[in-house]
Amino acid sequence: MDNKAASWQSYLEYAELSDVGLRRSNNQDSLGSVISGSEDSWRRRGHLFMVADGMGAHAAGELASKMAVDTVLLTYYKLPDPSAPDAFKKALEDANAKINARGQANPDFKGMGTTTSALAVLPQGAVVAHVGDSRAYRLRGNRLEQLSADHSLVWEMMAASKISERDLPTYIPKNVITRSLGPNPTVQVDLEGPFPLVPGDTFLLCSDGLSGQVSDEEIGAVLQALPPHEAVQTLVDLANLRGGPDNISVIVVRVTALPSASGASGAIAAPANPSGDTRIHPAFWIVFGVALAAALILFLIDMPLFAAASAVAAVITLGAALVSKASAVENASFDGEISTLGGGPYRSLVCNPDRALIDRLKSLIESIRQSASEQQWQIEWSTADAYVRRSEQAAAQENNLLAVRELFHAISYLMKEARQQRQARDAG
């Protein structure tokens, strides 16, 4: 699903996709997004995007993730809190309470829960709210940053021991999370940001069905090479090519320009009117009233020339008042500055597509070719071969970004063909 906001909202574009994967019978992930329907709503709360990965037997995980997304997307915009981060945190805490109550009320749902990563794109910048091991990333230029910290046993042990993941003992399970929405009556929500925005910034929210199978280097390459609507499909395809052991959900949000309330630095900044008062100043009304009364009196005592001059003065005063109000609205408060939240980014990687990545992608294409032959799928290979040839030409000219883009196109084309073949076979 690809979306592009209109008018004053059009400074960003986004796409979202959720896939069951190859080894699960149902999808316990949920995702959602809200583009503010008015400028006032945007200034107060911004635009909101959210991914949740449910956990629990039967349909419990699916229900927990759906409750989380539905509750947060609704509650965040309705809370009266003047601070967007405070409303963000309370919305997740409200979702936790509702999921916990539902689990306590029904034995089949006892202990159900969900991870979540949510992104609010505000005038002051981007703020991430996070619980669990779903992730939030930002790509700026060629640098990919993980904005959220995993609430998992692996990350807790790395933090406590101050060692890298590769130095952890192999017997440490990688799928144990230490925090989620729902299992307990209360939850600690991490807030990160605000991260100032510049054109080209690309944010990714994903469940661990993606991050567990696709490397950060590959994620960075996809976000660099492809627009959001192509990136979400390619990321899902890469996870499925690695076996697709889990549900996969991704949202990609790209800043294409800056809204009108922007600073000269190129980052979205707080407005010039810190008070947020958009009322017409009383002085304008006093002058307007005096001028209008004078015009009426002068007209009644048969001094039409002076009456007309006073009327013109009243009109000019009213016009100045309206211009002042429009300016105040333009520079209305975004609820002021937001204090620095959290400690992110937690990881940072320069993603420059190289020959090794090109070779890995070509190897994936060959694995699809082999599987297609074994399954006797009827695929039009000339299209895929054309993508590969263009990739080789680009690599020969040392344009590695174009080279990987063509290979991503080849992979998505072949995976689409494979899905169609599988669906046709299952229907038969």
Side-chain angles (χ1 to χ4, degrees):
M1 178 180 178
D2 182 35
N3 304 274
K4 189 164 184 176
S7 66
W8 58 271
Q9 304 164 332
S10 62
Y11 70 95
L12 58 81
E13 57 184 1
Y14 70 99
E16 55 191 38
L17 183 63
S18 187
D19 188 88
V20 69
L22 300 181
R23 301 184 193 174
R24 296 293 180 91
S25 58
N26 66 318
N27 193 346
Q28 293 192 323
D29 287 359
S30 295
L31 47 74
S33 54
V34 174
I35 297 296
S36 288
S38 69
E39 188 169 0
D40 176 67
S41 174
W42 171 73
R43 289 176 183 274
R44 290 183 61 252
R45 291 289 183 261
H47 308 312
L48 188 60
F49 307 89
M50 183 174 176
V51 164
D53 180 359
M55 303 165 295
H58 307 294
E62 186 175 352
L63 176 62
S65 66
K66 185 177 187 305
M67 287 181 66
V69 171
D70 290 348
T71 300
V72 172
L73 295 188
L74 179 65
T75 304
Y76 173 68
Y77 287 94
K78 288 193 171 184
L79 285 170
D81 301 71
S83 165
D86 287 346
F88 212 178
K89 183 173 181 288
K90 288 183 180 179
L92 266 72
E93 290 171 344
D94 187 39
N96 178 81
K98 289 182 177 180
I99 296 168
N100 179 260
R102 186 67 173 269
Q104 294 296 321
N106 189 328
D108 288 339
F109 296 152
K110 186 175 178 61
M112 72 178 184
T114 181
T115 70
T116 186
S117 276
L119 171 73
V121 183
L122 299 158
Q124 301 95 326
V127 174
V128 171
H130 173 70
V131 178
D133 63 351
S134 295
R135 289 183 176 178
Y137 291 92
R138 177 181 67 178
L139 178 76
R140 174 172 289 178
N142 64 353
R143 182 174 292 277
L144 183 72
E145 298 170 319
Q146 185 175 336
L147 306 181
S148 58
D150 290 4
H151 299 141
S152 67
L153 180 60
V154 167
W155 274 58
E156 298 284 356
M157 293 188 68
M158 287 192 301
S161 305
K162 300 188 183 304
I163 59 176
S164 66
E165 187 171 351
R166 65 175 176 272
D167 294 326
L168 283 174
T170 56
Y171 58 80
I172 301 298
K174 295 187 176 182
N175 61 345
V176 177
I177 63 171
T178 57
R179 202 186 305 176
S180 61
L181 295 179
N184 301 304
T186 61
V187 68
Q188 180 181 346
V189 177
D190 283 359
L191 292 177
E192 308 286 347
F195 302 100
L197 306 178
V198 299
D201 279 354
T202 303
F203 295 88
L204 168 69
L205 301 177
C206 66
S207 61
D208 69 332
L210 176 75
S211 58
Q213 306 303 317
V214 182
S215 70
D216 285 358
E217 179 190 14
E218 292 167 330
I219 289 173
V222 171
L223 297 181
Q224 282 186 73
L226 302 174
H229 71 281
E230 293 182 9
V232 293
Q233 184 63 67
T234 299
L235 290 169
V236 168
D237 289 339
L238 288 173
N240 278 328
L241 275 171
R242 303 282 165 61
D246 200 355
N247 308 142
I248 311 152
S249 293
V250 294
I251 299 178
V252 175
V253 181
R254 177 165 295 164
V255 178
T256 57
L258 293 183
S260 58
S262 60
S265 64
I268 296 180
N273 175 15
S275 69
D277 190 353
T278 61
R279 295 172 297 176
I280 294 176
H281 195 280
F284 284 109
W285 292 120
I286 293 171
V287 175
F288 173 74
V290 169
L292 191 62
L296 181 60
I297 293 171
L298 290 168
F299 178 78
L300 292 175
I301 63 176
D302 199 23
M303 298 181 68
L305 205 57
F306 291 102
S310 295
V312 169
V315 171
I316 292 174
T317 301
L318 181 60
L322 293 176
V323 169
S324 174
K325 178 178 174 62
S327 177
V329 170
E330 174 65 21
N331 294 304
S333 172
F334 303 143
D335 297 323
E337 297 284 352
I338 296 177
S339 300
T340 300
L341 305 166
Y346 294 91
R347 283 180 172 174
S348 180
L349 174 69
V350 174
C351 302
N352 288 323
D354 55 15
R355 188 69 212 187
L357 177 59
I358 293 171
D359 290 342
R360 288 203 303 274
L361 296 177
K362 291 176 72 173
S363 177
L364 282 175
I365 292 172
E366 288 307 309
S367 70
I368 300 174
R369 190 186 299 270
Q370 182 177 349
S371 295
S373 175
E374 293 171 354
Q375 299 291 329
Q376 297 183 334
W377 289 335
Q378 302 301 312
I379 292 178
E380 179 53 62
W381 285 100
S382 62
T383 300
D385 291 339
Y387 284 129
V388 173
R389 283 196 303 273
R390 288 196 291 270
S391 172
E392 292 172 344
Q393 292 168 358
Q397 298 171 2
E398 299 186 351
N399 189 343
N400 290 342
L401 185 60
L402 178 58
V404 299
R405 179 183 298 136
E406 295 295 340
L407 293 177
F408 288 145
H409 285 155
I411 288 171
S412 288
Y413 166 75
L414 291 174
M415 291 296 285
K416 178 182 178 182
E417 291 288 303
R419 285 192 297 273
Q420 292 175 345
Q421 294 283 329
R422 187 183 298 114
Q423 290 167 0
R425 181 193 63 190
D426 292 345

Short mmCIF file of all heavy atoms in Angstrom, two decimals, residues 48-49 85 88-89 92 116-122 125-131 134-138 145-149 189-195 203-205 338 341-342 344 346:
data_model
loop_
_atom_site.label_atom_id
_atom_site.label_comp_id
_atom_site.label_asym_id
_atom_site.label_seq_id
_atom_site.Cartn_x
_atom_site.Cartn_y
_atom_site.Cartn_z
N LEU A 48 1.41 9.85 12.48
CA LEU A 48 1.76 8.71 13.33
C LEU A 48 1.80 7.42 12.52
O LEU A 48 0.92 7.15 11.70
CB LEU A 48 0.73 8.58 14.45
CG LEU A 48 1.01 7.57 15.55
CD1 LEU A 48 2.32 7.90 16.28
CD2 LEU A 48 -0.14 7.52 16.55
N PHE A 49 2.84 6.60 12.79
CA PHE A 49 3.03 5.31 12.12
C PHE A 49 3.41 4.29 13.18
O PHE A 49 4.13 4.59 14.13
CB PHE A 49 4.14 5.41 11.07
CG PHE A 49 3.95 6.53 10.09
CD1 PHE A 49 4.46 7.80 10.36
CD2 PHE A 49 3.24 6.34 8.91
CE1 PHE A 49 4.27 8.84 9.47
CE2 PHE A 49 3.05 7.38 8.02
CZ PHE A 49 3.56 8.63 8.30
N PRO A 85 4.99 14.12 23.17
CA PRO A 85 5.63 12.94 23.77
C PRO A 85 4.87 12.37 24.96
O PRO A 85 4.78 11.15 25.12
CB PRO A 85 7.01 13.47 24.19
CG PRO A 85 7.28 14.60 23.25
CD PRO A 85 5.95 15.25 23.04
N PHE A 88 2.02 10.49 23.61
CA PHE A 88 2.53 9.28 22.98
C PHE A 88 2.73 8.19 24.04
O PHE A 88 2.28 7.05 23.88
CB PHE A 88 3.87 9.62 22.31
CG PHE A 88 4.17 8.83 21.07
CD1 PHE A 88 5.34 9.09 20.35
CD2 PHE A 88 3.34 7.84 20.61
CE1 PHE A 88 5.65 8.39 19.20
CE2 PHE A 88 3.64 7.12 19.46
CZ PHE A 88 4.80 7.41 18.76
N LYS A 89 3.41 8.54 25.10
CA LYS A 89 3.69 7.58 26.17
C LYS A 89 2.40 7.08 26.82
O LYS A 89 2.22 5.87 27.04
CB LYS A 89 4.59 8.25 27.21
CG LYS A 89 5.03 7.36 28.37
CD LYS A 89 6.06 8.11 29.21
CE LYS A 89 6.56 7.25 30.38
NZ LYS A 89 5.54 7.10 31.42
N LEU A 92 0.49 4.48 24.67
CA LEU A 92 1.03 3.12 24.76
C LEU A 92 0.72 2.49 26.10
O LEU A 92 0.42 1.29 26.19
CB LEU A 92 2.54 3.12 24.50
CG LEU A 92 2.95 2.84 23.05
CD1 LEU A 92 2.63 4.04 22.17
CD2 LEU A 92 4.43 2.49 22.93
N THR A 116 6.13 -3.27 20.04
CA THR A 116 5.72 -2.19 19.14
C THR A 116 6.83 -1.18 18.96
O THR A 116 7.63 -0.94 19.88
CB THR A 116 4.46 -1.47 19.65
OG1 THR A 116 4.04 -0.52 18.66
CG2 THR A 116 4.74 -0.73 20.95
N SER A 117 6.90 -0.62 17.77
CA SER A 117 7.70 0.58 17.50
C SER A 117 6.80 1.54 16.76
O SER A 117 6.16 1.17 15.75
CB SER A 117 8.94 0.26 16.67
OG SER A 117 10.00 -0.17 17.49
N ALA A 118 6.72 2.77 17.27
CA ALA A 118 5.84 3.78 16.67
C ALA A 118 6.64 5.05 16.42
O ALA A 118 7.57 5.38 17.16
CB ALA A 118 4.66 4.06 17.58
N LEU A 119 6.26 5.75 15.37
CA LEU A 119 6.97 6.96 14.93
C LEU A 119 5.98 8.11 14.79
O LEU A 119 4.99 7.99 14.07
CB LEU A 119 7.66 6.70 13.60
CG LEU A 119 8.28 7.91 12.88
CD1 LEU A 119 9.56 8.34 13.59
CD2 LEU A 119 8.59 7.57 11.42
N ALA A 120 6.23 9.20 15.49
CA ALA A 120 5.45 10.42 15.32
C ALA A 120 6.33 11.43 14.58
O ALA A 120 7.40 11.79 15.07
CB ALA A 120 5.01 10.99 16.66
N VAL A 121 5.89 11.87 13.41
CA VAL A 121 6.61 12.87 12.64
C VAL A 121 6.00 14.23 12.98
O VAL A 121 4.91 14.57 12.51
CB VAL A 121 6.55 12.60 11.14
CG1 VAL A 121 7.38 13.63 10.37
CG2 VAL A 121 7.06 11.20 10.83
N LEU A 122 6.69 14.97 13.83
CA LEU A 122 6.20 16.23 14.38
C LEU A 122 6.91 17.42 13.75
O LEU A 122 7.98 17.26 13.15
CB LEU A 122 6.45 16.25 15.89
CG LEU A 122 5.77 15.15 16.71
CD1 LEU A 122 6.48 14.95 18.03
CD2 LEU A 122 4.31 15.52 16.94
N GLY A 125 10.41 17.52 14.83
CA GLY A 125 11.25 16.39 14.45
C GLY A 125 10.51 15.08 14.65
O GLY A 125 9.30 15.06 14.90
N ALA A 126 11.24 13.98 14.57
CA ALA A 126 10.65 12.66 14.71
C ALA A 126 10.86 12.14 16.13
O ALA A 126 11.95 12.26 16.70
CB ALA A 126 11.26 11.69 13.72
N VAL A 127 9.81 11.55 16.71
CA VAL A 127 9.88 10.94 18.04
C VAL A 127 9.46 9.48 17.91
O VAL A 127 8.46 9.16 17.25
CB VAL A 127 8.98 11.67 19.05
CG1 VAL A 127 8.95 10.93 20.39
CG2 VAL A 127 9.46 13.10 19.26
N VAL A 128 10.23 8.59 18.54
CA VAL A 128 9.96 7.16 18.51
C VAL A 128 9.50 6.70 19.88
O VAL A 128 10.10 7.08 20.90
CB VAL A 128 11.22 6.37 18.09
CG1 VAL A 128 11.01 4.87 18.27
CG2 VAL A 128 11.60 6.69 16.65
N ALA A 129 8.41 5.93 19.93
CA ALA A 129 7.97 5.26 21.15
C ALA A 129 8.13 3.76 20.92
O ALA A 129 7.75 3.24 19.87
CB ALA A 129 6.51 5.60 21.47
N HIS A 130 8.68 3.06 21.95
CA HIS A 130 9.16 1.72 21.67
C HIS A 130 9.04 0.81 22.87
O HIS A 130 9.35 1.19 24.00
CB HIS A 130 10.64 1.83 21.23
CG HIS A 130 11.32 0.52 21.06
ND1 HIS A 130 11.03 -0.34 20.03
CD2 HIS A 130 12.28 -0.09 21.80
CE1 HIS A 130 11.78 -1.41 20.12
NE2 HIS A 130 12.55 -1.29 21.19
N VAL A 131 8.58 -0.43 22.62
CA VAL A 131 8.56 -1.50 23.62
C VAL A 131 8.82 -2.82 22.90
O VAL A 131 8.10 -3.16 21.96
CB VAL A 131 7.21 -1.58 24.37
CG1 VAL A 131 7.23 -2.73 25.38
CG2 VAL A 131 6.88 -0.28 25.09
N SER A 134 10.76 -5.02 18.15
CA SER A 134 10.53 -4.38 16.85
C SER A 134 11.46 -3.17 16.80
O SER A 134 11.89 -2.66 17.84
CB SER A 134 9.07 -3.96 16.70
OG SER A 134 8.24 -5.10 16.67
N ARG A 135 11.76 -2.67 15.62
CA ARG A 135 12.81 -1.66 15.51
C ARG A 135 12.37 -0.42 14.73
O ARG A 135 11.45 -0.49 13.89
CB ARG A 135 14.06 -2.24 14.85
CG ARG A 135 14.81 -3.22 15.72
CD ARG A 135 16.07 -3.72 15.05
NE ARG A 135 16.84 -4.61 15.94
CZ ARG A 135 17.96 -5.22 15.58
NH1 ARG A 135 18.46 -5.04 14.36
NH2 ARG A 135 18.59 -6.00 16.44
N ALA A 136 13.08 0.67 15.01
CA ALA A 136 12.94 1.91 14.25
C ALA A 136 14.33 2.32 13.76
O ALA A 136 15.28 2.37 14.55
CB ALA A 136 12.34 3.01 15.12
N TYR A 137 14.43 2.59 12.46
CA TYR A 137 15.69 3.01 11.84
C TYR A 137 15.49 4.37 11.17
O TYR A 137 14.37 4.74 10.80
CB TYR A 137 16.13 2.04 10.75
CG TYR A 137 16.57 0.67 11.19
CD1 TYR A 137 15.66 -0.39 11.27
CD2 TYR A 137 17.91 0.40 11.47
CE1 TYR A 137 16.07 -1.67 11.64
CE2 TYR A 137 18.33 -0.87 11.82
CZ TYR A 137 17.41 -1.91 11.91
OH TYR A 137 17.82 -3.17 12.26
N ARG A 138 16.62 5.06 10.97
CA ARG A 138 16.63 6.24 10.11
C ARG A 138 17.82 6.15 9.18
O ARG A 138 18.94 5.88 9.61
CB ARG A 138 16.72 7.54 10.91
CG ARG A 138 16.80 8.79 10.00
CD ARG A 138 16.94 10.09 10.77
NE ARG A 138 18.22 10.18 11.46
CZ ARG A 138 18.61 11.24 12.18
NH1 ARG A 138 17.78 12.28 12.32
NH2 ARG A 138 19.78 11.26 12.79
N GLU A 145 20.91 4.39 10.97
CA GLU A 145 20.96 4.44 12.42
C GLU A 145 19.77 3.69 13.01
O GLU A 145 18.64 3.86 12.56
CB GLU A 145 20.93 5.89 12.91
CG GLU A 145 22.12 6.72 12.44
CD GLU A 145 21.94 8.19 12.72
OE1 GLU A 145 20.81 8.70 12.52
OE2 GLU A 145 22.93 8.83 13.13
N GLN A 146 20.05 2.87 14.01
CA GLN A 146 18.96 2.23 14.75
C GLN A 146 18.58 3.15 15.89
O GLN A 146 19.36 3.39 16.81
CB GLN A 146 19.39 0.86 15.28
CG GLN A 146 18.23 0.12 15.96
CD GLN A 146 18.60 -1.29 16.38
OE1 GLN A 146 19.50 -1.90 15.82
NE2 GLN A 146 17.89 -1.82 17.37
N LEU A 147 17.36 3.67 15.83
CA LEU A 147 16.90 4.67 16.79
C LEU A 147 16.36 4.06 18.07
O LEU A 147 16.25 4.75 19.09
CB LEU A 147 15.83 5.56 16.16
CG LEU A 147 16.20 6.24 14.83
CD1 LEU A 147 15.03 7.09 14.34
CD2 LEU A 147 17.46 7.08 14.99
N SER A 148 16.01 2.78 18.04
CA SER A 148 15.42 2.10 19.19
C SER A 148 16.40 1.05 19.72
O SER A 148 17.19 0.48 18.96
CB SER A 148 14.10 1.43 18.80
OG SER A 148 14.32 0.50 17.73
N ALA A 149 16.33 0.79 21.01
CA ALA A 149 17.13 -0.28 21.63
C ALA A 149 16.24 -1.50 21.81
O ALA A 149 15.11 -1.39 22.32
CB ALA A 149 17.67 0.18 22.98
N VAL A 189 7.76 2.48 28.83
CA VAL A 189 7.81 2.85 27.41
C VAL A 189 9.05 3.71 27.17
O VAL A 189 9.27 4.69 27.88
CB VAL A 189 6.55 3.62 26.99
CG1 VAL A 189 6.65 4.06 25.53
CG2 VAL A 189 5.30 2.77 27.22
N ASP A 190 9.85 3.35 26.20
CA ASP A 190 11.01 4.16 25.82
C ASP A 190 10.59 5.21 24.79
O ASP A 190 9.92 4.88 23.80
CB ASP A 190 12.11 3.30 25.20
CG ASP A 190 12.91 2.53 26.25
OD1 ASP A 190 12.60 2.69 27.45
OD2 ASP A 190 13.81 1.77 25.87
N LEU A 191 11.00 6.45 25.01
CA LEU A 191 10.81 7.52 24.04
C LEU A 191 12.18 7.97 23.56
O LEU A 191 13.09 8.15 24.37
CB LEU A 191 10.06 8.70 24.66
CG LEU A 191 8.59 8.48 25.03
CD1 LEU A 191 8.03 9.73 25.69
CD2 LEU A 191 7.75 8.12 23.82
N GLU A 192 12.32 8.17 22.26
CA GLU A 192 13.58 8.60 21.65
C GLU A 192 13.32 9.81 20.76
O GLU A 192 12.33 9.86 20.03
CB GLU A 192 14.19 7.48 20.81
CG GLU A 192 14.35 6.14 21.51
CD GLU A 192 15.48 6.12 22.51
OE1 GLU A 192 16.30 7.06 22.49
OE2 GLU A 192 15.56 5.16 23.31
N GLY A 193 14.24 10.77 20.81
CA GLY A 193 14.12 11.92 19.94
C GLY A 193 14.16 13.23 20.72
O GLY A 193 14.56 13.25 21.88
N PRO A 194 13.67 14.32 20.11
CA PRO A 194 13.24 14.39 18.71
C PRO A 194 14.45 14.40 17.77
O PRO A 194 15.48 14.99 18.10
CB PRO A 194 12.49 15.72 18.63
CG PRO A 194 13.15 16.56 19.69
CD PRO A 194 13.54 15.63 20.80
N PHE A 195 14.30 13.74 16.63
CA PHE A 195 15.35 13.71 15.62
C PHE A 195 14.98 14.73 14.54
O PHE A 195 14.00 14.52 13.82
CB PHE A 195 15.48 12.31 15.02
CG PHE A 195 15.77 11.25 16.05
CD1 PHE A 195 14.74 10.43 16.53
CD2 PHE A 195 17.04 11.08 16.56
CE1 PHE A 195 15.00 9.45 17.49
CE2 PHE A 195 17.31 10.10 17.52
CZ PHE A 195 16.28 9.29 17.99
N PHE A 203 12.73 6.83 7.24
CA PHE A 203 12.53 6.08 8.47
C PHE A 203 11.94 4.71 8.15
O PHE A 203 11.11 4.57 7.22
CB PHE A 203 11.60 6.82 9.42
CG PHE A 203 12.16 8.12 9.92
CD1 PHE A 203 11.99 9.30 9.22
CD2 PHE A 203 12.89 8.16 11.11
CE1 PHE A 203 12.53 10.50 9.67
CE2 PHE A 203 13.43 9.35 11.58
CZ PHE A 203 13.25 10.52 10.86
N LEU A 204 12.35 3.71 8.90
CA LEU A 204 11.82 2.36 8.75
C LEU A 204 11.37 1.85 10.10
O LEU A 204 12.12 1.90 11.08
CB LEU A 204 12.90 1.42 8.19
CG LEU A 204 12.58 -0.09 8.25
CD1 LEU A 204 11.45 -0.44 7.29
CD2 LEU A 204 13.82 -0.92 7.96
N LEU A 205 10.13 1.37 10.18
CA LEU A 205 9.63 0.62 11.32
C LEU A 205 9.46 -0.82 10.86
O LEU A 205 8.94 -1.07 9.76
CB LEU A 205 8.29 1.16 11.80
CG LEU A 205 8.22 2.63 12.24
CD1 LEU A 205 6.78 2.99 12.61
CD2 LEU A 205 9.15 2.89 13.41
N ILE A 338 10.85 20.30 22.43
CA ILE A 338 10.78 19.00 23.10
C ILE A 338 12.17 18.70 23.65
O ILE A 338 13.17 18.77 22.93
CB ILE A 338 10.35 17.89 22.13
CG1 ILE A 338 8.92 18.14 21.63
CG2 ILE A 338 10.41 16.52 22.81
CD1 ILE A 338 8.44 17.13 20.62
N LEU A 341 15.03 13.11 24.45
CA LEU A 341 14.47 11.90 25.04
C LEU A 341 15.33 10.70 24.66
O LEU A 341 15.77 10.56 23.52
CB LEU A 341 13.04 11.67 24.54
CG LEU A 341 12.06 12.83 24.74
CD1 LEU A 341 10.80 12.62 23.90
CD2 LEU A 341 11.69 12.96 26.21
N GLY A 342 15.56 9.80 25.61
CA GLY A 342 16.26 8.56 25.33
C GLY A 342 17.73 8.74 25.02
O GLY A 342 18.30 9.82 25.18
N GLY A 344 19.13 7.25 21.94
CA GLY A 344 19.39 6.85 20.55
C GLY A 344 20.08 7.93 19.76
O GLY A 344 20.10 9.11 20.17
N TYR A 346 21.30 3.96 18.69
CA TYR A 346 22.04 2.94 19.41
C TYR A 346 23.03 2.20 18.53
O TYR A 346 23.95 1.54 19.05
CB TYR A 346 21.06 1.96 20.06
CG TYR A 346 20.23 2.63 21.13
CD1 TYR A 346 19.01 3.22 20.82
CD2 TYR A 346 20.69 2.72 22.44
CE1 TYR A 346 18.25 3.87 21.80
CE2 TYR A 346 19.95 3.36 23.42
CZ TYR A 346 18.74 3.93 23.09
OH TYR A 346 18.01 4.59 24.06
#
